[in-house]
Amino acid sequence: MHIGILQCGHTPEPVGEVHGDFDALFKSLFDGHGLTFHTWDVVDLDFPNSIDDAEGWLLTGSKHGAYEEHAFIPPLETFIRQLHAAQKPTIGICFGHQIIAQALGGRVEKFAGGWAIGRHGYAIEGDDVHLNAWHQDQVTVPPKDAKTVGQSPFCAHAALVYGEHIMTVQPHPEINNDVLATYLDTRGRDPIFPADKITMARNMLGSIGDEPRLATRLARFLKEARS
């Protein structure tokens, strides 16, 4: 199955030098699941010609807020609404989760509870999973046609499904502990991020995550949506 990656942002330069950009992280995550990929850097206004340029779509994370004024956001929201109307198989991660919700009528805003950084536990479709996160923005009001299928004590709408063709999650299955360690080295000294949460994230780098399990679930979702 051929997947179009809509790259909504770029990994920090030191992360990219070691691990690659978001598209490379997702290609590694889905290795062995029978997916091929083409990347459009929509954050840089590189858009597909048509929603039919790929069989399914993946929207990545970004440093930007979905509610901020950036040139790529209005055309991206239009593209998302076209995907939804055509019931094209689509998944969204972190910013991708948020921008899809916003484009389809939900609300995204800075969470009053602050930042989620590092390993968090989630209940997704009745399954307990542990995944890395790095965000302050959240979907606070899902669109009317979205169903919340994942949550945590920190994030009430951590995973959403729209019909049988869109699934989105707030945490980052593509950011394993090795990648997170580089993020912490790169961004952990920035005072915008709470020092106690950076320390806690570092202390949990040895814990085992469920990235492969969620990758299997997301790949299966894309294939079942196509069929």
Side-chain angles (χ1 to χ4, degrees), residues 39-220:
T39 302
W40 284 270
D41 285 325
V42 294
V43 67
D44 301 319
L45 297 177
D46 171 30
F47 277 84
N49 292 319
S50 165
I51 62 171
D52 296 320
D53 284 353
E55 296 174 278
W57 297 90
L58 185 160
L59 284 77
T60 74
S62 177
K63 68 179 182 180
H64 301 300
Y67 46 78
E68 295 173 351
E69 294 185 4
H70 299 288
F72 78 98
I73 287 181
L76 180 57
E77 290 187 323
T78 297
F79 197 84
I80 289 166
R81 288 190 282 269
Q82 292 172 349
L83 292 175
H84 185 40
Q87 298 188 5
K88 297 286 285 188
T90 303
I91 59 177
I93 308 297
C94 196
F95 175 89
H97 166 76
Q98 297 163 11
I99 194 66
I100 290 172
Q102 180 173 284
L104 299 181
R107 182 186 303 158
V108 178
E109 54 193 343
K110 288 191 182 297
F111 181 50
W115 286 89
I117 298 174
R119 186 74 70 198
H120 281 244
Y122 302 86
I124 298 180
E125 296 183 316
D127 189 19
D128 291 332
V129 296
H130 293 82
L131 300 160
N132 287 321
W134 198 302
H135 68 97
Q136 184 177 12
D137 293 348
Q138 292 193 22
V139 176
T140 55
V141 180
K144 292 181 179 179
D145 60 348
K147 178 182 178 182
T148 298
V149 297
Q151 55 276 315
S152 75
F154 187 83
C155 187
H157 306 290
L160 300 171
V161 294
Y162 305 72
E164 296 181 353
H165 58 286
I166 298 177
M167 183 173 186
T168 67
V169 297
Q170 178 60 64
H172 283 279
E174 81 283 14
I175 296 181
N176 60 29
N177 284 345
D178 288 341
V179 178
L180 180 64
T182 308
Y183 262 91
L184 291 168
D185 289 341
T186 299
R187 305 184 70 191
R189 298 180 184 87
D190 190 327
I192 191 175
F193 304 117
D196 60 333
K197 295 196 174 184
I198 295 295
T199 298
M200 185 178 299
R202 289 189 185 279
N203 290 340
M204 296 184 69
L205 283 174
S207 61
I208 297 174
D210 294 308
E211 293 85 5
R213 288 169 55 200
L214 187 57
T216 298
R217 175 70 190 92
L218 293 172
R220 185 170 69 244

